[in-house]
Amino acid sequence: EVATEIGERAVVGVEADVVRACLTSNKLIQLASFINFSLPQLTESTFSIDQKESELQLLPFYSEKKYLPNDIFQTVPESVAELLKLGIDESRQSKADSEIGLFSDNFTDPTVVSHYSNLGINSFICNSRAVPLVRLLAAKSLISKVDN
């Protein structure tokens, strides 16, 4: 009502950074203009480990013992990928025109941008150093969609 009265509209989004947010993203997107999924926080909550602490102690040990295939914060683990896909799909079904973003500290793997672009992510949030690379990877992904 206030937005109509003053002629302005506030854009409010939600950050999905825990497992429950992915599972209820269909409801969250109804309350917001956009939803951003946070890859580092989802990885932390999925594995119940803190990234900073785990890099010092746990991950080297887990990698050495082959408990985890690789550094879970440098890739997208399968379980986190499934959560993201569920959250993206639920958001799109609930609000087809919604803006859906993915935040990551590390988009160095070109398959990540391509894969999530194909799943319906339409914005990638990254640190300023990664912007040129992410723009290039997103453009390549869009071109390959058109070519196929």
Side-chain angles (χ1 to χ4, degrees):
E1 295 175 27
V2 173
T4 306
E5 290 177 25
I6 64 173
E8 296 292 327
R9 181 177 161 259
V11 177
V12 177
V14 67
E15 181 176 340
D17 58 0
V18 293
V19 174
R20 187 171 188 274
C22 288
L23 299 175
T24 60
S25 61
N26 60 330
K27 294 178 178 124
L28 291 173
I29 195 65
Q30 293 299 319
L31 304 171
S33 300
F34 62 90
I35 187 167
N36 287 332
F37 294 95
S38 175
L39 195 50
Q41 277 85 12
L42 285 172
T43 302
E44 284 183 341
S45 64
T46 299
F47 286 90
S48 298
I49 56 175
D50 178 76
Q51 181 176 1
K52 300 289 184 220
E53 289 183 25
S54 67
E55 287 174 346
L56 296 174
Q57 297 174 7
L58 294 176
L59 290 179
F61 176 76
Y62 285 1
S63 294
E64 179 184 315
K65 297 290 186 183
K66 305 275 191 252
Y67 295 146
L68 293 172
N70 46 33
D71 186 344
I72 58 174
F73 293 101
Q74 298 301 316
T75 61
V76 182
E78 187 177 332
S79 54
V80 177
E82 289 174 20
L83 271 173
L84 284 169
K85 183 175 181 343
L86 175 74
I88 294 165
D89 291 347
E90 292 286 321
S91 297
R92 283 272 175 246
Q93 287 175 5
S94 183
K95 192 174 178 183
D97 63 342
S98 58
E99 184 77 20
I100 301 176
L102 179 64
F103 167 77
S104 180
D105 295 322
N106 186 356
F107 280 122
T108 56
D109 181 353
T111 61
V112 171
V113 173
S114 175
H115 176 73
Y116 288 103
S117 179
N118 290 335
L119 285 182
I121 294 287
N122 45 19
S123 63
F124 293 91
I125 301 100
C126 57
N127 67 45
S128 58
R129 294 183 318 272
V131 170
L133 176 62
V134 173
R135 289 182 80 175
L136 175 65
L137 295 173
K140 285 177 69 173
S141 177
L142 290 172
I143 290 168
S144 70
K145 279 184 190 177
V146 171
D147 289 345
N148 293 333

